[in-house]
Amino acid sequence: MKAPSRTESAEATYVRTTPSSRALYEQACKVMPGGTTRTTVYFAPYPLYIERGQGAWVWDVDGIGRLDFLQNYSALILGHAHPRVTAALKAQLERGTSVAAANPIEIKLAAELCRRIPSVETVRFTNSGTEATMFAMRLARTFTGRQKIARFEGGYHGTHDFAEVSTKPDLGLAGLSTSPRPVPDSAGTPQVVVADTVILPYNDLPSVERILRRHGKDVAGVIVEPVIGAGGVIPGEPGFLRGLRDLTRELGMILIFDEVISLRIAPGGAQEHYGVTPDLTAMAKVIGGGLPVGAFGGRADLMEILDPRLPNAIPHGGTYNGHPLGMAAGLATLEVLTPAVYEELNRKGEWVRGRLREVFEAHDIAAQVTGIGSLFNIHFTSVPVRDHRSMRSSNPRMLRDLFLGLVNHGILMAPRAMGSICTPMTQEDLQALVDAVEQVTIERESEWRELGA
Ligand SMILES: Cc1ncc(COP(=O)(O)O)c(C=O)c1O
């Protein structure tokens, strides 16, 4: 790829170097709205079309290789086409794809999740994190006989109706930061859902306590990401999750940890890291080894509501629940993920966050690098990022410059500047990320300074 010049805009470089992606996008626009089937992989002027991945790398349809710090939004903790995962998939594939029957391998993955994750006494599989949070919320409503679900402003729990309130609200409609109002994510979110959703401010225990006490016996459950993922990789602060645990127990509310992303920070997820055990846990991403697998699990007395041998059990169908390919890929992945592997990944994450902070400090650019374990997120703001409102102060123009600039320098990250580290990444790969961020900073420094950075 011809190197970007200082005078050319990041977008111009992108368009110049990715003609095959552009051509495919034009075809896609004829058959899919906006040319995409996944909003989160679209970015303007058109998304990158990736042909293959191997280890830490992906190659686009123009043959350009990039280091993949996105890893399918943190799911591919072992990188692309890990030999153990590929072998497990091949072996399973030869036995057929799916059957309407129980399969032995689902028991193995279930047992492994129960063994690792403190809150998970029993577990059920789904095909996505979306279904996992949906069922966890349904269990909370069924168990308590209450209707409302409390959730945090700026959290992300997937794409079902109850997940789609105040994920990224119009701040003009969202009320005070200490008493946020529910704002539907789109006109398609049912009004009844908005009315039955209580919005809480992250990392602000006194406000959470005041709001939850006010709603008292109406709230069935509180769903929280112990580390906000999609909303900026914001870790829960010391005492916050513990306080939430104590409060929900006192008020008879079910505490649901959404660990779809945070499960990658320790064998038992963020709940192990923080030493706080929820009632239910929603899971996905790493537990499927790159295949569409989700799960929800927790206290056996709560999960029992799904037992089909009991009267009035909650039905939990799903043509592909416990799909043998997903189970095989997930199991192979977890077998590789020993405690030592997490330690190594987390050490690399700490190193990256430290070096990135140094780059911005050296160039006097107001930026925060948040994260935990092998996750990180860059925010262009002088305000410490600890909740949704502070995250929203990040400069969107700088985020876009950085994202496209990094694509042009051979690095793939999320457009919102989130990244994750996978096991095949070497020290040279991590250094390449830091160097690319510095290079883009140098290229855009003067423009960014005019933006008041
Ligand atoms: C915390 C969290 N919960 C739920 C989901 C939804 O998972 P899925 O995309 O598998 O439906 C995501 C997806 O990124 C997530 O980050």
Side-chain angles (χ1 to χ4, degrees):
M1 179 176 17
K2 187 166 164 264
S5 76
R6 275 189 188 222
T7 47
E8 189 176 50
S9 74
E11 186 164 319
T13 308
Y14 178 70
V15 171
R16 177 167 58 75
T17 52
T18 56
S20 303
S21 285
R22 182 185 188 161
L24 285 172
Y25 184 64
E26 281 164 12
Q27 286 177 32
C29 282
K30 295 183 186 136
V31 286
M32 287 183 278
T36 184
T37 191
R38 183 178 174 189
T39 305
T40 36
V41 299
Y42 172 80
F43 58 86
Y46 50 83
L48 210 49
Y49 283 75
I50 300 293
E51 205 158 52
R52 71 186 174 93
Q54 182 65 56
W57 289 80
V58 286
W59 285 267
D60 74 8
V61 284
D62 285 294
I64 300 173
R66 292 181 179 82
L67 270 171
D68 184 8
F69 281 89
L70 189 48
Q71 296 291 329
N72 199 5
Y73 278 92
S74 82
L76 291 169
I77 194 165
L78 304 183
H80 298 274
H82 188 282
R84 289 274 293 273
V85 177
T86 306
L89 279 171
K90 278 185 182 156
Q92 189 58 44
L93 196 55
E94 281 164 12
R95 299 184 192 123
T97 49
S98 60
V99 183
N103 66 64
I105 192 167
E106 70 196 19
I107 309 171
K108 289 188 183 167
L109 185 58
E112 188 54 25
L113 293 175
C114 292
R115 188 183 72 77
R116 287 172 172 242
I117 305 168
S119 69
V120 178
E121 291 172 2
T122 61
V123 66
R124 276 285 181 100
F125 291 108
T126 63
N127 303 288
S128 64
T130 291
E131 289 163 82
T133 64
M134 185 178 77
F135 271 97
M137 291 183 199
R138 188 172 295 165
L139 275 181
R141 286 196 299 270
T142 311
F143 191 79
T144 60
R146 304 173 182 178
Q147 281 303 301
K148 292 190 178 178
I149 295 291
R151 51 156 298 162
F152 286 84
E153 190 175 64
Y156 181 68
H157 304 293
T159 54
H160 61 91
D161 287 339
F162 261 95
E164 298 222 306
V165 184
S166 293
T167 302
K168 197 180 176 193
D170 175 343
L171 295 182
L173 303 175
L176 294 175
S177 62
T178 49
S179 303
R181 281 205 293 263
V183 180
D185 286 359
S186 76
T189 306
Q191 276 306 318
V192 286
V193 167
V194 180
D196 274 343
T197 302
V198 173
I199 303 298
L200 305 167
Y202 201 70
N203 276 331
D204 177 359
L205 193 58
S207 298
V208 168
E209 177 163 3
R210 179 176 40 75
I211 297 167
L212 287 183
R213 286 195 190 283
R214 174 149 46 87
H215 288 274
K217 295 212 173 304
D218 293 336
V219 174
V222 178
I223 186 163
V224 62
E225 290 166 274
V227 177
I228 285 191
V233 192
I234 307 169
E237 290 173 1
F240 170 66
L241 295 167
R242 160 72 41 214
L244 192 60
R245 173 65 287 185
D246 294 344
L247 191 60
T248 47
R249 189 172 283 130
E250 182 199 325
L251 298 176
M253 299 165 185
I254 301 301
L255 181 61
I256 306 165
F257 272 11
D258 181 347
E259 294 239 37
V260 166
I261 286 188
S262 58
L263 216 51
R264 68 152 41 227
I265 73 173
Q271 55 198 268
E272 178 190 336
H273 172 83
Y274 285 99
V276 176
T277 306
D279 300 302
L280 291 173
T281 300
M283 299 157 262
K285 299 211 194 274
V286 299
I287 65 161
L291 271 83
V293 176
F296 59 101
R299 272 169 42 193
D301 62 326
L302 261 156
M303 294 295 289
E304 202 177 50
I305 312 173
L306 295 150
D307 183 340
R309 297 167 300 183
L310 300 180
N312 304 323
I314 298 182
H316 173 224
T319 304
Y320 297 117
N321 290 358
H323 193 287
L325 288 175
M327 300 295 102
L331 193 60
T333 300
L334 293 189
E335 280 167 5
V336 177
L337 289 173
T338 61
V341 172
Y342 287 93
E343 271 169 36
E344 175 71 1
L345 273 173
N346 295 352
R347 194 192 53 72
K348 288 176 176 171
E350 196 59 41
W351 187 88
V352 163
R353 289 188 292 276
R355 295 296 88 71
L356 291 176
R357 286 187 193 114
E358 281 171 15
V359 166
F360 295 121
E361 261 166 41
H363 292 272
D364 202 18
I365 298 292
Q368 313 290 322
V369 183
T370 58
I372 188 168
S374 51
L375 295 160
F376 59 94
N377 205 125
I378 298 166
H379 308 266
F380 289 110
T381 174
S382 53
V383 182
V385 173
R386 53 185 300 270
D387 59 10
H388 182 63
R389 305 278 171 119
S390 46
M391 188 278 286
R392 289 284 286 276
S393 66
S394 190
N395 187 304
R397 159 76 197 281
M398 292 167 76
L399 282 174
R400 174 153 171 87
D401 286 349
L402 178 72
F403 167 68
L404 271 187
L406 287 177
V407 168
N408 294 334
H409 281 284
I411 301 281
L412 193 59
M413 260 169 58
R416 54 177 181 262
M418 170 196 167
S420 59
I421 293 159
C422 60
T423 53
M425 282 177 177
T426 62
Q427 189 58 37
E428 290 72 50
D429 297 336
L430 306 183
Q431 187 65 53
L433 166 73
V434 173
D435 291 346
V437 169
E438 176 145 43
Q439 195 53 43
V440 175
T441 304
I442 291 166
E443 283 163 18
R444 301 292 159 205
E445 213 168 355
S446 54
E447 293 161 49
W448 286 357
R449 221 164 294 294
E450 279 168 30
L451 295 171

